[in-house]
Amino acid sequence: SVAGQIALMNQNIMEEASRDAHRTAVGSLVGFAIGLAVCIALGAFAAWYIFHAVLGPIRAVTQSARGISTGNFDQVVPYLSEDALGQLAEAFNHMTQCLREQRQSTEERTQELVQTTEALRTEISEREQMERELRRLAAIVESSDDAIVGQSLDGIITSWNKGAERIYGHSAKWIIGQPQSILVPPEHENESPAIRARILRGEHVDHFETVRKTKDGQRIFVSLTVSPVK
């Protein structure tokens, strides 16, 4: 009876020990599973962090570079660190800022050039119109049958039209630069100073009848109209 009780006691003790061992094994397995899950989570977080910290800025730089290639200079790469990637992002942002400033400066300069071009086009058009008018007036003077003669205030002939050549006989090539006194007979030399004095005062001399001489010395009666050219 005592031996049976001892055997039963030993059996109970062994069963209890077996249950304890089983519980210990289950707890170990659970702890291992929890530890493995934590390691996997840490690994996933580490992978995400590496992707965000390394590949993220690189992808942002790549996308921004593509945007710049299409002409969009409003690109900013975010950077949260001071390492090499942060320096790369900072350098890229500085480059895009410089490009934006250059584009703005170029646009402003282009606008100024457009305005200047328009002003020059208008001025050139006005000059061309003025030149056409001057050529038309010159053609009228050159084609006139009247003698139209230009001279300086000291009496030097500066222009000579075809009408003057026909009336006086002197060619323009020869007479330009000569004193106008060669056209005045000696008995009328006192007229020129009086006419010049009136011109210096801004006055006009209308239909002044006098005598002039031609290339061959012939006296001709002329009616002078003398006006100051300002």
Side-chain angles (χ1 to χ4, degrees):
S1 178
V2 174
Q5 293 178 357
I6 293 173
L8 180 60
M9 186 181 298
N10 288 333
Q11 183 179 356
N12 292 332
I13 292 173
M14 291 179 64
E15 290 177 356
E16 183 67 25
S18 176
R19 286 193 295 271
D20 291 340
H22 179 71
R23 287 194 295 269
T24 301
V26 171
S28 299
L29 289 175
V30 172
F32 176 77
I34 294 174
L36 182 60
V38 171
C39 290
I40 293 174
L42 291 175
F45 176 78
W48 175 84
Y49 178 79
I50 292 174
F51 176 81
H52 179 74
V54 178
L55 298 181
I58 294 177
R59 177 173 295 179
V61 171
T62 303
Q63 293 176 352
S64 298
R66 291 175 180 172
I68 289 176
S69 66
T70 61
N72 182 12
F73 296 152
D74 298 326
Q75 303 290 332
V76 177
V77 177
Y79 60 94
L80 302 176
S81 62
E82 299 295 335
D83 55 5
L85 290 175
Q87 295 176 4
L88 174 63
E90 183 179 4
F92 186 88
N93 292 336
H94 179 70
M95 179 191 70
T96 55
Q97 181 180 359
C98 293
L99 290 175
R100 286 194 297 270
E101 293 175 354
Q102 291 178 3
R103 180 181 62 181
Q104 182 178 1
S105 177
T106 301
E107 291 176 351
E108 293 175 354
R109 182 57 179 165
T110 301
Q111 185 64 26
E112 293 177 358
L113 289 176
V114 169
Q115 295 175 355
T116 303
T117 301
E118 291 297 330
L120 288 175
R121 184 179 292 111
T122 302
E123 183 177 354
I124 290 173
S125 177
E126 293 175 353
R127 286 177 178 267
E128 290 177 348
Q129 182 178 359
M130 185 182 298
E131 289 176 358
R132 287 194 297 269
E133 182 66 17
L134 290 175
R135 287 194 296 268
R136 188 179 70 85
L137 294 175
I140 292 174
V141 170
E142 188 65 20
S143 302
S144 175
D145 288 335
D146 293 329
I148 300 178
V149 181
Q151 66 180 25
S152 61
L153 292 176
D154 54 359
I156 302 300
I157 295 175
T158 57
S159 63
W160 188 264
N161 73 335
K162 294 293 184 181
E165 288 186 2
R166 182 180 59 80
I167 293 175
Y168 290 101
H170 298 288
S171 67
K173 183 178 180 181
W174 180 85
I175 201 168
I176 290 178
Q178 300 292 333
Q180 63 91 25
S181 59
I182 63 176
L183 304 175
V184 181
E187 63 272 19
H188 293 275
E189 290 180 350
N190 61 339
E191 297 173 354
S192 296
I195 293 175
R196 189 175 299 114
R198 293 181 60 181
I199 294 300
L200 286 173
R201 292 194 298 269
E203 300 177 4
H204 295 257
V205 178
D206 295 328
H207 305 297
F208 179 76
E209 295 182 357
T210 184
V211 177
R212 292 292 182 262
K213 64 179 180 178
T214 63
K215 180 179 179 181
D216 57 6
Q218 181 183 0
R219 270 35 173 198
I220 58 175
F221 292 96
V222 297
S223 176
L224 299 180
T225 297
V226 187
S227 302
V229 179
K230 301 180 182 179

